[in-house]
Amino acid sequence: MTDTQTTTEQVLEFPDNRLLIDLCGAYDAHLAAVEKALEVQIIRRGNQVSILGDADAAAQAAGVLNTLYARLEGGRSVEQAEVDSLLRMGNSDADTGVRSGDQLEMPIPGGMEIQTRKKRVEPRTAAQKAYVQSLFDNELAFGIGPAGTGKTYLAVAVGVSMFIGGHVDKIILSRPAVEAGEKLGYLPGDMKDKVDPYMQPLYDALNDFLPGKQLAKLLEDKRIEIAPLAFMRGRTLSNAFVVLDEAQNATSMQMKMFLTRLGNNSRMVITGDRTQIDLPRGVPSGLADAERLLSAIPKISFNYFTSKDVVRHPLVAAIIEAYEADTGVS
């Protein structure tokens, strides 16, 4: 804090002490995160919280705490991920349209909750909210951006929600089985054993949303399918919610093949990260071709994410930003 900045104090009062404990976090970890991110000092006295610091920063911290408290009043939990995400949004006024000191918009607007069998899923950033909305509004949607931004996780959540709601009869999840510096042939086991490690993130997402026994039964009955991209050839995917993950590793021919599988009463989501292409040198990415060829077609949506939308550990966002700065990727 420089001498030219005006130090101010904002005092907030939270009437429910039980919610205030959750707001502060274990050992006041949530308050400490706000202090560090915004360079303010936060002092708790009973059910009052005093914020000391630069006027703009103090106002922004007040907005963060008020928003988190409102979330708790609505019956939702506050974890470190929500605090970190809100701080990133609050530090990006140009991107979010949020003014310092306003109550920041936190998940979730009433109609955008994603209900699954095991949990309620909430988009945390403006880009995630727009993405989820596009998944419900469009038969074909693309989610493009760096790792950790929730592209695949939210897509699978929407698929499970539509499945348990009876809007589709099955869920089909796919990935290109591209060797990222390691050879499949050297792995032990049959083809399924070799391919399943590539599909594991999809299994992990499903396990978050469906009870284990139900998921096992649905997989056995082929009402949920997880398969490499090559296995999609020749099929028509009707009455299904279909996700192609890691689409940057699909060739142009594979992408065309996959997109033309779309059948009646189906939804298709394509997710990928243009900075993590594992295709052989000189082989163009089908994701890039799809962006170029399809962006003008109505009812096909393209949603983009940046490091500000990362909802994993805060270090993931910092790592992505460092790599982007080094390569000149915006």
Side-chain angles (χ1 to χ4, degrees), residues 151-277:
K151 307 180 298 296
T152 304
Y153 194 79
L154 291 171
V156 174
V158 171
V160 170
S161 176
M162 295 187 73
F163 176 77
I164 63 179
H167 302 290
V168 294
D169 294 335
K170 66 192 314 182
I171 297 171
I172 300 172
L173 309 178
S174 185
R175 270 184 158 200
V178 173
E179 300 170 351
E182 299 175 83
K183 297 299 183 182
L184 277 172
Y186 293 116
L187 294 174
D190 59 18
M191 181 54 70
K192 184 179 185 300
D193 294 328
K194 295 174 188 292
V195 165
D196 268 359
Y198 288 85
M199 306 294 124
Q200 192 58 49
L202 303 177
Y203 286 106
D204 291 344
L206 286 170
N207 277 309
D208 266 7
F209 306 137
L210 292 167
K213 289 184 179 179
Q214 183 182 13
L215 176 57
K217 178 63 172 171
L218 291 170
L219 288 167
E220 181 182 347
D221 293 343
K222 301 292 187 182
R223 298 187 68 190
I224 295 180
E225 294 183 45
I226 301 178
L229 175 58
F231 288 19
M232 297 297 109
R233 189 173 300 277
R235 302 181 62 182
T236 299
L237 308 177
S238 301
N239 301 305
F241 192 94
V242 188
V243 179
L244 175 60
D245 188 30
E246 298 288 342
Q248 75 277 0
N249 289 327
T251 66
S252 296
M253 290 300 295
Q254 286 176 323
M255 179 64 74
K256 179 183 176 183
M257 176 273 292
F258 187 80
L259 292 173
T260 54
R261 301 307 94 198
L262 183 64
N264 293 326
N265 193 40
S266 284
R267 299 271 166 154
M268 185 173 281
V269 186
I270 315 295
T271 69
D273 178 357
R274 290 174 298 190
T275 68
Q276 294 192 19
I277 297 174

Side-chain angles (χ1 to χ4, degrees), residues 81 84-96 124-128 145-150 304-312 314 316-318 320-321 324 330:
D84 294 335
S85 177
L86 190 53
L87 286 168
R88 285 199 301 274
M89 287 191 285
N91 283 325
S92 307
D93 294 355
D95 294 334
T96 63
R124 292 173 177 164
T125 70
Q128 287 186 348
T149 51
Y304 295 91
F305 300 86
T306 70
S307 59
K308 294 182 177 63
D309 300 300
V310 171
V311 291
R312 291 181 187 165
V316 175
I320 291 169
E321 289 170 354
E324 287 177 350
S330 59

Side-chain angles (χ1 to χ4, degrees), residues 52-66:
L52 303 170
D54 168 69
D56 288 342
Q60 191 172 340
V64 169
L65 295 179
N66 280 328

Side-chain angles (χ1 to χ4, degrees), residues 1 5 28-42 51-52 54 56-58 60-62 64-65 68 80 82-92 104 314:
M1 199 180 302
Q5 291 177 321
D28 289 344
H30 298 163
L31 298 185
V34 176
E35 286 182 317
K36 183 177 180 181
L38 300 178
E39 298 183 348
V40 296
Q41 181 182 6
I42 301 177
I51 305 170
L52 303 170
D54 168 69
D56 288 342
Q60 191 172 340
V64 169
L65 295 179
L68 292 171
Q80 193 64 48
E82 279 78 33
V83 180
D84 294 335
S85 177
L86 190 53
L87 286 168
R88 285 199 301 274
M89 287 191 285
N91 283 325
S92 307
L104 308 179

